[in-house]
């Protein structure tokens, strides 16, 4: 499987802050929690992965969708919504 990489750059220095690597299919959506502590990624490998934003450490993998097209945190960062190819939205 190809390695998919998401990068986070520091706006003022253009230095890489964290790297999120995974053996996976295409990453379709990425969202950062309102408190910038957690990053969620949704991909066509039918998973949502939760990452520690500061370090890039994988916290959890959620598997229950078809291809995941979108992920978004609620304004209080307590709920994650995902939209999928199978025409479902899950919270």
């Amino acid at each position: 499987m190809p390695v998919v990489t998401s990068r986070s750059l520091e706006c003022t220095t253009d230095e890489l802050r964290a790297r999120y690597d995974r053996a996976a299919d295409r990453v379709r959506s990425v969202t950062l929690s309102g408190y910038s502590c957690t990053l969620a990624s949704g991909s066509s490998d039918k998973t949502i992965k939760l990452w520690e934003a500061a370090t890039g450490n994988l916290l959890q993998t959620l598997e229950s969708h078809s291809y995941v097209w979108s992920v978004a945190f609620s304004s209080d960062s307590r709920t994650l919504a995902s939209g999928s190819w199978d025409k479902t939205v899950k919270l």
Side-chain angles (χ1 to χ4, degrees), residues 60-79:
Q60 187 174 6
T61 300
L62 307 172
E63 300 178 23
S64 67
H65 261 299
S66 179
Y67 298 122
V68 179
W69 287 104
S70 61
V71 289
F73 280 103
S74 62
S75 60
D76 65 3
S77 298
R78 295 181 62 187
T79 304

Side-chain angles (χ1 to χ4, degrees), residues 14-55:
D14 198 34
E15 292 180 23
L16 185 65
R17 290 176 48 194
R19 182 177 173 135
Y20 311 91
D21 293 326
R22 60 192 258 191
D25 223 352
R26 292 181 179 96
V27 173
R28 300 289 183 178
S29 181
V30 175
T31 186
L32 191 61
S33 68
Y35 302 111
S36 300
C37 296
T38 305
L39 182 128
S41 62
S43 71
S44 54
D45 70 351
K46 304 177 184 180
T47 65
I48 297 167
K49 295 195 183 265
L50 301 176
W51 308 85
E52 184 176 22
T55 65

